Amino acid sequence: MEKQEKIVQMFNDIAPTYDVANRVLSMGVDISWRKFACKTVLSNFKDKKIDIVDVACGTGDMMGIWRDSAIKQDVQLNSIIGIDPSSGMLDVARSKFHNFKFIKAYADNTTLDTQSADIVSISYGIRNVVARKEALREFNRVLKMGGYVVLLEFTKRKKSGFLTTIRDFYLQKILPKIGGAISKNKEAYEYLPNSIDGFLDAKEFCDELYEAGFDIEVCRGFSMDISTLFIGKKSS
């Protein structure tokens, strides 16, 4: 089984307990990061009707936040589509959000029309995409000119020190035990810190976004740089 298929199968396995584990492990703070991202981007679309695509949508949480944020900011949603290759995750998402459209597809081949979306988002999923550069180009293809890509991700820290030590201890020692206990799949939650180590730091990822045709408008770290928000505007 190839690497991407193994990752998808892992998410199929943990899908039933994913929401509970995610809230416990993040202590709910990821919700504030997600809301900040949505509010920031939607401020560019006041009184407009837009199309949003959420890639690696998982159980649909980010889609729900997009919807609620749009209502608060008087932005009309023409459509919101969730893309994910995990059937297990999509089953949970559909049970939570009956009115959203979901497509089973990979990030580098969304099956969507060219220039059909105003916003493409992916939250804590891009490091799980093996064909990452191809996926970024796919996001660019799907976006209308001037549209926005919005990414939240756990990025690698270059700086060492006390804060890095605390973060790494939590990710490597505490998180796998808690996630494993909730999901009965410790291996899946051992994958998380390993996947962060195998990912890029914030600057390196900004460079990849630029190469894919995006001008970087926001690159902001949260909570000791555990999570980073990237917002890019389609320029080419």
Side-chain angles (χ1 to χ4, degrees):
M1 186 184 296
E2 66 171 274
K3 182 179 180 181
Q4 190 67 78
E5 290 177 350
K6 287 182 179 178
I7 294 171
V8 172
Q9 185 56 52
M10 179 191 74
F11 280 105
N12 283 334
D13 293 341
I14 64 174
T17 58
Y18 183 78
D19 281 345
V20 173
N22 198 36
R23 290 291 93 82
V24 171
L25 291 169
S26 70
M27 294 172 282
V29 73
D30 69 296
I31 296 175
S32 67
W33 303 336
R34 294 169 189 265
K35 287 182 177 179
F36 180 89
C38 294
K39 181 180 179 181
T40 301
V41 178
L42 289 173
S43 65
N44 297 293
F45 294 99
K46 290 286 186 182
D47 301 316
K48 293 183 180 179
K49 200 167 189 177
I50 64 171
D51 299 282
I52 298 177
V53 176
D54 189 46
V55 182
C57 66
T59 61
D61 278 3
M62 190 65 173
M63 299 172 72
I65 294 173
W66 277 119
R67 176 198 59 195
D68 296 344
S69 297
I71 292 170
K72 287 182 180 179
Q73 293 179 246
D74 295 321
V75 176
Q76 296 183 60
L77 288 185
N78 184 52
S79 68
I80 181 163
I81 299 172
I83 305 282
D84 202 290
S86 166
S87 56
M89 287 290 192
L90 290 177
D91 286 345
V92 176
R94 289 189 180 101
S95 71
K96 291 163 59 179
F97 301 104
H98 304 290
N99 297 325
F100 292 163
K101 180 180 179 180
F102 296 96
I103 298 173
K104 184 180 177 183
Y106 287 95
D108 60 323
N109 183 17
T110 63
T111 74
L112 298 174
D113 292 338
T114 298
Q115 296 194 35
S116 59
D118 298 280
I119 297 170
V120 172
S121 66
I122 178 167
S123 303
Y124 309 106
I126 194 65
R127 75 183 188 287
N128 299 318
V129 177
V130 175
R132 184 178 64 244
K133 291 184 178 181
E134 291 85 351
L136 296 180
R137 288 195 292 270
E138 172 73 354
F139 301 165
N140 188 284
R141 181 190 69 80
V142 170
L143 280 169
K144 300 171 186 176
M145 187 57 68
Y148 290 88
V149 64
V150 183
L151 305 101
L152 280 160
E153 191 51 271
F154 299 115
T155 45
K156 190 162 56 176
R157 280 175 63 96
K158 273 195 169 181
K159 296 179 181 178
S160 59
F162 181 66
L163 294 180
T164 301
T165 301
I166 293 175
R167 188 189 89 146
D168 290 348
F169 179 80
Y170 175 74
L171 290 174
Q172 294 169 6
K173 303 297 182 183
I174 307 299
L175 184 146
K177 290 181 180 178
I178 298 174
I182 295 172
S183 67
K184 304 294 187 279
N185 189 330
K186 187 179 179 182
E187 183 180 355
Y189 287 91
E190 289 174 336
Y191 163 80
L192 174 61
N194 292 332
S195 67
I196 297 172
D197 286 340
F199 193 56
L200 308 173
D201 64 34
K203 183 185 181 304
E204 289 169 338
F205 189 58
C206 281
D207 290 342
E208 283 199 359
L209 285 168
Y210 180 77
E211 289 171 7
F214 296 102
D215 288 334
I216 311 304
E217 296 204 345
V218 176
C219 178
R220 171 174 173 163
F222 298 104
S223 301
M224 299 184 293
D225 290 337
I226 288 177
S227 174
T228 306
L229 168 64
F230 303 89
I231 298 175
K233 187 174 184 178
K234 179 176 177 175
S235 59
S236 63

